[in-house]
Amino acid sequence: MQLTSALQSFVAMAVMIPAVIANPVALDNSAVEERSIAKRSYILTCSGCSIGGGISGNRYLSCDCNKPGGGTNPSTLDLDKCIVNDKGVAKWRANGGFSATCGNAGLSGGRYYNVYCYKPDGSQQFTWFDLDEKIHNINGNLQCHV
């Protein structure tokens, strides 16, 4: 009798497996995803972002960033800690010090950074990239992770 019961359970599971594979249950990970996105994405948790300061006016990113538990914090990030001028192309690099040789910067949509950097021959090259790729809001403070 036990063998028959075990066999019936096995057959019942074997019948269910194709149905589960064909119709997988979507797990509700929205709370986990929300925390994950908020941790890495400043654009979703900061507002009023602008670029300014430094000799060329492009060195600092300033925003009002949400803090865990409520409220906002005015935060400013020195982009020289995050970006380098690599032969006329602005790129992500820790302690890059790009602002000495790049200028005429702009910010679009609070996240798309565009800047002109000098090449070794003295000409300028235009670069743009998404600051949200490497800049995060950590507990109400802007930080770059390069």
Side-chain angles (χ1 to χ4, degrees):
M1 184 75 172
Q2 287 180 341
L3 182 59
T4 304
S5 177
L7 186 58
Q8 287 175 342
S9 294
F10 177 77
V11 170
M13 287 181 62
V15 170
M16 289 175 50
I17 289 172
V20 170
I21 292 171
N23 300 304
V25 176
L27 298 176
D28 183 9
N29 289 330
S30 58
V32 172
E33 288 174 14
E34 186 175 311
R35 283 194 305 269
S36 176
I37 289 171
K39 186 174 182 180
R40 70 173 185 260
S41 175
Y42 84 90
I43 199 66
L44 296 176
T45 59
C46 299
S47 62
C49 297
S50 62
I51 294 289
I55 295 170
S56 57
N58 63 327
R59 184 169 174 176
Y60 299 98
L61 172 65
S62 297
C63 302
D64 292 320
C65 296
N66 294 344
K67 299 185 297 185
T72 60
N73 182 53
S75 182
T76 299
L77 176 64
D78 183 350
L79 294 175
D80 268 352
K81 295 179 180 179
C82 312
I83 302 171
V84 67
N85 176 3
D86 184 10
K87 300 175 186 163
V89 178
K91 294 182 177 180
W92 295 113
R93 185 169 306 148
N95 300 312
F98 84 107
S99 70
T101 57
C102 298
N104 298 323
L107 188 66
S108 176
R111 71 188 285 178
Y112 299 106
Y113 187 69
N114 54 74
V115 65
Y116 287 88
C117 293
Y118 283 101
K119 298 186 332 188
D121 67 6
S123 64
Q124 289 186 333
Q125 183 164 321
F126 178 79
T127 304
W128 76 270
F129 49 96
D130 185 354
L131 293 179
D132 201 45
E133 290 176 0
K134 301 286 183 180
I135 297 177
H136 307 177
N137 172 10
I138 307 296
N139 298 324
N141 296 298
L142 294 169
Q143 296 180 11
C144 65
H145 296 269
V146 292

